[in-house]
Structure formats: structure tokens, C-alpha cells
Amino acid sequence: MKKLPEYFGSLVFGPTVMRERLPAETYNSLMRTINEGKDLDIEVANVVANAMKEWAIEHGATHYTHWFQPMTGITAEKHDSFISPTPDGKVIMEFSGKQLVRGEPDASSFPSGGLRATFEARGYTAWDPTSYAFIKGNTLCIPTAFCSYGGHALDKKTPLLRSMEALNKQALRILTLFGHTEVSYVYPTVGAEQEYFLIDREMYNKRPDLIFTGRTLFGAPPPKGQELGDHYFGSIKPRVAAFMEDLNEELWKLGILAKTEHNEVAPSQHELAPIHTTVNVATDHNQLTMEIMKQVALRHGLVCLLHEKPFAGVNGSGKHNNWSLNTNTGVNLLSPGETPYENAQFLLFLVAVVKAVDDYQDLLRVSVATASNDLRLGGNEAPPAIISVYLGSELTAILESIELGIPYNATIKGKIQLGTSVLPPLPLDTTDRNRTSPFAFTGNKFEFRMLGSSDSIACANIMLNTAVAESLRQFADVLEGASDFKAALNDLIRDTFSKHKRIIFNGNGYDDAWVKEAVENRGLLNLKTTPDCMPYLISKKNLDMLVSHNVYSSEELHSRYEILLTNYCKVIKIEALTMLDMTRRHILPAIGAYVSEIASMAAAKMAVSGNIDCSYEKSLLERLSALMSIISSRAEELEEKVNKVHGIQDVTEQSYGYRDLVIPKMSELRAAVDEAELITAEKHWPFPSYGDLLYSVR
Ligand code: ADP
Ligand code: MG
């Protein structure tokens, strides 16, 4: 077997293969396109396409596809084979520059939120050379952006690339002021930690709720959940280890830097963290990782659940988005120096992020809003729906001293003494773990923890990049006009901190007192549900900002509003219908069968002697019969609400209906069913229990 370094990236048409296979001139010209955004001419594209095709065929590919990310949140592909007929009835394998650079999938069924009438089906895909082509199965996949014929972005990649450009532009203005003219490109890096559950495939197949909705809609709590904390970082079970091994290999072949894996808090929950890379590539890689996780799981008789809250009562899954800013000269702009106080440039970028998160807390919240993530945010395992920034005590103290205009005493405040004279004082670790913060500074990066496990990381990073670009734009406007740069810089850091310190919170985000403090004293937003936050996506303040940086047009934003809310409604409707189906066709008949079994038992006993004690049967029959009535009437009520809400035309109103009328009825129905599950014989219960699902993989 080949060693890891040999097969790492073997299925990627990356720089090494390119250098080997492309004429030097073509290679250089392509690199200029990749690194400097220069236009690519068709001659160069032809040469690249041909080399790509040869390489792909050698690796077993017969097809190619433009791989893109429509607004469904998953990836899309339409495969074309390389074949082209010849006059003698044979075929040759062809792939031209034109086919590489541009595609026209008939994409009329992707959501466009009104951007493109269905009769005008044509959207087109355009090659994104900054994310390398790769081979999946028998197909050469070419990462592409997806736009309408009129040039509107129909995907998540296009706005992401635009947001990177906006951030680059403004960050360069700042770096120029600091004299860093050697820097020509600034880009965000992201490492997305991915949480997921693995359950047994056989069990999964018996749960219509998992099949149709990705989460359990019913299920009584098992005797043991996560309370002992014995799963977190526990030893990895053989079946899971085999899965991880296989998964890593697949990811490594695709050049994905899978690095860390461990068991998470809930039983059957795990995490995979890759090494960070450019946000655009990190986004593509995360999409691929999710897809490959699912595929590899199936090969192991498992199912990988990426839903944010597959099981009630135990932790759900998120995705931690570690974000930082890098220069093409290899400097991390969010990395403090030895003495952070002296590092004014670092502090400026730091407060730029703080300001961005405060000014655009609404947009960041919107960027992670989905029906499934609503089930998790604010729960005990996930950050609250209120956005705040954790900076740690040292950085906060430094900024406070700047605000007060007093010198920061690094020798006292910033160092911790270890209580023995043998060890020198160590710098206080600014990364001390605050797991409850939704947006935490962790040493040289920020960790945004509100993302859902199944979501594309594109949206969160689009908003983050652009919000920070906006802070930097305002800073550059001030500093470029300043007569005394140093004084202006000091004032800017001080004033920004003063103005935005309300968003900084180093305490326990799960505490109820924080919710009160945040909302009542600090005026921070607490947007609990998707319908609560969606209006902020198109509020004037946010729309103007996103449009001014050319990240979204007004039409594009409105289309996203439409799509996200429609999706919210659809998801809840599917869940409600699944519950009704499970209740009526499986659960009530199952309880009924058990009831009649108990009744027969009582009748048989009575037939032997009228004096035999049947109090057990009687009380159980009474409880179960009562529950059956409750369940059936709650199902009726749920159905009525679904029908009512389904009839609402306006999507905003409809989303309120699902949230306020349908979801509460779903909870009521579930409560009664879960109660019945606990007293129904296992052999009658039609679905594997939580205990079966959570503890079946060994
Ligand atoms: P933890 O679970 O403690 O948060 P992990 O090691 O699981 O830590 O994940 C940390 C993530 O942060 C990794 O994906 C890592 O590559 C990423 N990371 C580290 N440095 C940077 C950086 N400069 N920019 C973006 N991400 C980074
Ligand atoms: Mg983390």
C-alpha cells in the first residue's frame, strides 16, 4: 500500500500535477489567474483542459462535471462523458477549454427565489480556478460558480468569492498605511470542525423520521444519555475507527487536510477537524467532506447523520468555523506578537472584527439560520442565539487600558505566576477555553460556533468577510485622511473598543442572567428562530452594506430571503406530515395491538377465575387507552394546523404559522407518543428506541 504522503492529493489536479503536465508558459499564466485574479485566455484554457483530461483518464475518469453549489446548500453535478464520435464509428475522448471554462446545465429546478423564471431555465456555470479540479468516482469534477443568464449569482460560491475580494481590497488599504507594500493579497483562512452522528444502518432503515427528515421526531429518552460524560474523547470503537480510517483515506486522496478526530459529547457523536485553508477551498472541502462521510458510512453498514439535532435530550451537532486573515507573505493578521500592546496593527484588525460582529450581529445570526439549527441554538450544548465576542481577560484588559488612556502593565496582568520560583512566569493563555461563547478569539483566530452541522459554511463566511471588510473600509477612510497616523490609530482603536465593547462577553453564555443582561442592558439581539431573523437579511442597513461591497445585489438578497424562508416552511411541513404518517400508520396500530394483547390476557385470567387480580392489566389499559385518545386527537389538531398554514400565500406569514401554530402541536403530539413508548412492550413498538439508535454501533 502507498504511504500517505504519496497518495495525499492524488485525485486532485493541483499545483504539482499542473507543473508536471503543463508547459511552463501555460502554468505561469494559470497561476496568475489563480493568485492575482487575471483573466484566462482561451488558448491557455484549451491547454489546461487537455492536460486535465489526460490526467483524469489515467485515473479512471470517463466523465466530467461542473461541480457547483446551488442555494439548496448541497452540491450539484451533471455528468458528461468525454466521448466524441469519429466517422469510423468509434469514439475519442475530448475536453476543450470552452467546456472547462463554462457550462450550461439545464438548471430550472434549482431554487432561484424569483431571480430566473422557470421558462428561462438557462443558468451557466463558470470555472473557479482557485479551487482545484478533482476526481470523484469516474468523474472529473470542476469547481464552478453558478449564475443566471442575466449575471445574478444563483449559488453560494459567487458571493463568497466576491466577499473575499471585498475583504482583500479593504485589508490592503490598511496594510499599505502600515507600510506593508510587499503584501499584494489578503485572504481569510478557515478550518471547519465538523460534528456528526454515526448510527447503524439497519436501525436507520426502520425510522421513517430519520429517512425523511434526518432527525428523530419521536423517541422517549433512554435510561442513559450523555450525563456520565463518558463518550467525550472516549476510546473510539472498532467499527467507528474503521469508518474513520476509510474516511481519512478518501479525504486525503482529495487533498483534504483531515487532521483531528474524536468522540463528541453525545453517544454516537463524533468530530472531524481539517487543517485550515483558504475559505473558498475550505468551503468546497467541507461540502465534499460531508458527502464523503455519508458515502463511507454506508460502506460500513452505518449512516452518518449531519442533522443539527437528530436526537432530543442529547447534544446536537454544529460546525465550528475557525476564521483568520492571512497575507500572501504568510502573516496571520490576527496573531498577537510577544507583547500585544505594542502590536497596534494586530489590535486594529482585532477591533475591526469586534466592530463587525457588533454592527452585523443580525447578519451573522441570519447566516446560520435554518429550521434545523433553530432546534440547537440556545440549547444547553450550543451557543445561545445571542451573538457576543469572547476576547479573554488579557486582551480585554489591554483594550480597557487603552480606553482609559493608562499604560497596560503586562508584567502584572498578563502573566500568570506558577507559584514556584523554578518556572519562569508564562504568558497567560488568551485562548483559555470558553465553550459557551458563540464567537471566541482563540489565540490567533476567531471561532464562530453557531453554524449548523449540515449547513454550507459559505453563508457565515460571506457575512463575516463582508462585515469585516466594512469595518476596515471605515478605518481606512479615517486613517488615510489623518495628519498624525499614530495618534489617529490610537484614537481609532480606543473609540472602536468604547463603542463596541457591549458585544464583548467573557462569562458563561449559557447562564440565564446573561440573556437578561445582553438584551436589557446591552441592547444585543436575541433572535431565537429563523423567522425572527430573516427580516434582517434585507433590512436597509444590511442591504446597503452588502450591495456597497458588491457581494450581493438587492435582487440576489431578496431571492435568498425568499429561498431561506420557503425552505424553513417546507422542512417543518415535511416533519409534520412524517409525524402524522408515523402516528397513524405505525404508532396507534402498535399501541392498539398491545392493548388488545393485554385485554386478552386479562380476559383469559378472568375466564380461569373471576377472583384473579387484574389490576395491572386494568391500570395499563386505562393509561394506554387514554394516551391513544390523546395521541389521535393531537394528530387531528396538528393536521388541521398544517392545512391551515399551508394555505397561507405570503412566505413570511407562512413561516410564522409554522413556527407558532405547527411546531407547538408537533411537540404536544410527540410528548404523548413518547409517554406511550415508555409503557408499551418493546416487541410492539414499531421503531428502534433511542437506546437502540444511540448505543448500537460498537
Ligand atoms: P478545538 O476543538 O480546540 O477548537 P481543533 O484543533 O479541533 O480545536 O480545531 C481547530 C481548528 O482551527 C482547526 O481546523 C485548525 O486548522 C483551525 N485553525 C488553526 N489556525 C487557524 C487559522 N489561522 N485560521 C483558520 N483556522 C485555523
Ligand atoms: Mg472548536
Side-chain angles (χ1 to χ4, degrees):
M1 209 186 99
K2 275 193 175 173
K3 297 211 174 75
L4 203 177
E6 287 162 31
Y7 70 77
F8 183 85
S10 59
L11 296 179
V12 184
F13 195 72
T16 321
V17 198
M18 290 190 210
R19 206 174 304 116
E20 270 167 30
R21 294 182 176 243
L22 295 174
E25 209 177 301
T26 312
Y27 175 80
N28 292 335
S29 156
L30 180 59
M31 285 299 144
R32 275 197 296 279
T33 302
I34 294 175
N35 298 326
E36 296 161 35
K38 296 267 183 307
D39 281 346
L40 190 79
D41 84 39
I42 190 70
E43 301 301 315
V44 175
N46 278 330
V47 178
V48 176
N50 195 53
M52 239 185 217
K53 177 198 70 181
E54 298 291 323
W55 169 83
I57 291 171
E58 281 166 33
H59 286 80
T62 50
H63 289 66
Y64 71 92
T65 181
H66 277 196
W67 185 76
F68 58 104
Q69 301 174 27
M71 293 183 279
T72 50
I74 50 170
T75 56
E77 44 197 78
K78 183 184 93 177
H79 299 185
D80 278 299
S81 69
F82 291 118
I83 61 167
S84 172
T86 56
D88 57 358
K90 303 213 163 202
V91 293
I92 52 164
M93 304 292 257
E94 271 187 355
F95 185 52
S96 67
K98 206 167 139 244
Q99 287 164 315
L100 165 65
V101 174
R102 194 175 158 112
E104 264 188 48
D106 169 15
S108 50
S109 292
F110 288 114
S112 80
L115 279 183
R116 184 199 48 197
T118 30
F119 60 80
E120 203 221 298
R122 287 192 302 179
Y124 69 89
T125 48
W127 183 32
D128 165 21
T130 61
S131 180
Y132 303 127
F134 57 91
I135 294 172
K136 197 157 57 89
N138 63 359
T139 305
L140 168 68
C141 298
I142 299 147
T144 54
F146 178 43
C147 296
S148 79
Y149 230 74
H152 293 303
L154 293 172
D155 67 347
K156 301 196 179 216
K157 186 187 269 283
T158 309
L160 181 63
L161 292 172
R162 292 174 184 162
S163 73
M164 290 171 72
E165 193 38 52
L167 186 51
N168 172 46
K169 190 170 149 194
Q170 304 304 333
L172 284 179
R173 286 176 69 193
I174 299 286
L175 290 177
T176 306
L177 289 165
F178 280 91
H180 292 301
T181 44
E182 78 285 3
V183 177
S184 59
Y185 188 51
V186 175
Y187 59 95
T189 47
V190 163
E193 301 164 52
Q194 175 74 47
E195 292 181 337
Y196 60 97
F197 279 83
L198 280 182
I199 61 165
D200 189 83
R201 191 177 179 176
E202 303 260 306
M203 304 275 175
Y204 171 92
N205 285 338
K206 292 182 187 148
R207 297 273 327 199
D209 46 2
L210 285 176
I211 292 171
F212 294 132
T213 74
R215 72 167 173 124
T216 54
L217 298 166
F218 297 109
K224 176 177 187 277
Q226 64 189 40
E227 53 281 87
L228 293 180
D230 52 355
H231 192 255
Y232 190 51
F233 283 18
S235 72
I236 296 171
K237 298 185 183 109
R239 253 180 106 184
V240 175
F243 159 84
M244 287 178 173
E245 196 178 315
D246 215 359
L247 173 66
N248 282 334
E249 201 176 310
E250 298 277 334
L251 296 177
W252 289 331
K253 281 193 232 159
L254 287 167
I256 297 174
L257 295 155
K259 172 86 174 163
T260 311
E261 55 203 16
H262 61 80
N263 286 348
E264 261 300 331
V265 173
S268 289
Q269 193 186 28
H270 313 278
E271 180 184 297
L272 174 93
I275 296 173
H276 57 286
T277 172
T278 313
V279 62
N280 176 33
V281 174
T283 305
D284 288 359
H285 280 181
N286 183 252
Q287 294 295 132
L288 271 175
T289 301
M290 292 194 285
E291 184 183 330
I292 290 166
M293 277 178 163
K294 288 188 177 169
Q295 285 171 6
V296 172
L298 292 180
R299 296 212 293 261
H300 288 257
L302 300 166
V303 174
C304 172
L305 302 178
L306 291 172
H307 193 283
E308 281 72 8
K309 195 75 185 171
F311 303 100
V314 296
N315 280 4
S317 302
K319 192 136 56 185
H320 291 176
N321 190 82
N322 295 274
W323 182 95
S324 190
L325 265 184
N326 258 64
T327 66
N328 65 320
T329 52
V331 176
N332 177 352
L333 296 170
L334 289 175
S335 195
E338 292 282 290
T339 53
Y341 179 58
E342 291 161 12
N343 199 337
Q345 182 184 297
F346 159 72
L347 287 177
L348 189 68
F349 279 100
L350 187 83
V351 295
V353 179
V354 171
K355 172 178 160 58
V357 177
D358 188 24
D359 286 341
Y360 298 101
Q361 39 177 299
D362 43 9
L363 274 185
L364 288 174
R365 174 66 185 89
V366 173
S367 77
V368 299
T370 56
S372 48
N373 213 15
D374 282 359
L375 297 166
R376 173 181 161 265
L377 291 180
N380 241 353
E381 81 280 8
I386 305 166
I387 301 209
S388 63
V389 177
Y390 167 86
L391 283 187
S393 47
E394 184 180 25
L395 279 173
T396 310
I398 290 166
L399 289 166
E400 276 165 355
S401 68
I402 293 176
E403 188 187 20
L404 296 171
I406 52 171
Y408 171 67
N409 192 340
T411 50
I412 300 169
K413 267 193 170 160
K415 313 269 173 167
I416 40 172
Q417 301 283 349
L418 289 182
T420 146
S421 53
V422 185
L423 286 169
L426 298 175
L428 175 67
D429 184 5
T430 43
T431 68
D432 58 339
R433 296 298 174 170
N434 181 328
R435 288 292 175 188
T436 65
S437 175
F439 203 98
F441 184 69
T442 49
N444 59 2
K445 61 188 190 296
F446 279 96
E447 185 168 342
F448 185 25
R449 302 198 176 115
M450 287 172 94
L451 289 77
S453 48
S454 67
D455 222 5
S456 158
I457 62 170
C459 294
N461 286 297
I462 293 167
M463 297 309 178
L464 187 53
N465 293 344
T466 318
V468 175
E470 173 61 17
S471 296
L472 297 175
R473 183 192 67 76
Q474 293 182 23
F475 288 1
D477 285 352
V478 171
L479 294 174
E480 281 167 358
S483 49
D484 180 345
F485 177 70
K486 275 194 182 150
L489 179 63
N490 188 72
D491 292 353
L492 191 56
I493 294 173
R494 184 193 62 214
D495 296 347
T496 308
F497 175 70
S498 275
K499 190 154 171 240
H500 297 285
K501 65 183 178 191
R502 65 167 186 163
I503 197 89
I504 296 171
F505 177 61
N506 295 328
N508 179 4
Y510 294 171
D511 199 342
D512 288 339
W514 164 236
V515 177
K516 210 165 135 45
E517 154 82 13
V519 177
E520 291 173 15
N521 300 343
R522 302 197 187 193
L524 300 178
L525 291 167
N526 184 10
L527 303 171
K528 289 192 183 134
T529 66
T530 299
D532 288 330
C533 46
M534 288 315 296
Y536 291 90
L537 182 64
I538 47 174
S539 70
K540 182 166 167 23
K541 171 197 92 171
N542 293 337
L543 193 141
D544 287 351
M545 189 278 286
L546 290 164
V547 171
S548 77
H549 288 280
N550 293 321
V551 170
Y552 284 113
S553 67
S554 170
E555 293 82 357
E556 286 169 348
L557 264 186
H558 280 93
S559 78
R560 272 132 187 103
Y561 174 86
E562 196 77 19
I563 290 169
L564 290 165
L565 271 184
T566 308
N567 185 267
Y568 175 86
C569 295
K570 285 181 182 163
V571 166
I572 296 170
K573 180 169 175 231
I574 293 169
E575 290 183 345
L577 295 183
T578 305
M579 285 184 103
L580 289 173
D581 183 72
M582 289 171 79
T583 302
R584 290 171 173 161
R585 297 196 315 117
H586 302 267
I587 294 166
L588 285 171
I591 305 173
Y594 185 46
V595 161
S596 71
E597 190 179 294
I598 302 287
S600 317
M601 176 162 76
K605 280 161 83 174
M606 301 285 278
V608 175
S609 152
N611 291 332
I612 294 184
D613 180 7
C614 289
S615 56
Y616 162 69
E617 290 86 345
K618 189 160 176 288
S619 83
L620 190 56
L621 285 177
E622 277 170 4
R623 279 179 75 192
L624 282 172
S625 303
L627 278 171
M628 286 178 79
S629 307
I630 295 172
I631 290 169
S632 93
S633 68
R634 289 187 183 173
E636 299 294 311
E637 289 166 27
L638 174 59
E639 185 171 41
E640 188 215 306
K641 296 292 183 221
V642 174
N643 289 337
K644 182 171 168 198
V645 173
H646 182 62
I648 302 174
Q649 290 302 314
D650 177 70
V651 70
T652 310
E653 288 302 316
Q654 195 182 47
S655 72
Y656 296 150
Y658 278 110
R659 181 191 64 189
D660 301 332
L661 303 175
V662 174
I663 290 180
K665 290 290 164 201
M666 287 166 59
S667 305
E668 287 173 15
L669 175 58
R670 174 176 184 151
V673 168
D674 290 357
E675 198 181 327
E677 182 186 345
L678 287 173
I679 52 171
T680 301
E682 192 203 9
K683 70 168 185 179
H684 284 286
W685 200 255
F687 313 116
S689 69
Y690 264 35
D692 297 331
L693 291 166
L694 289 169
Y695 294 98
S696 60
V697 179
R698 291 190 189 90

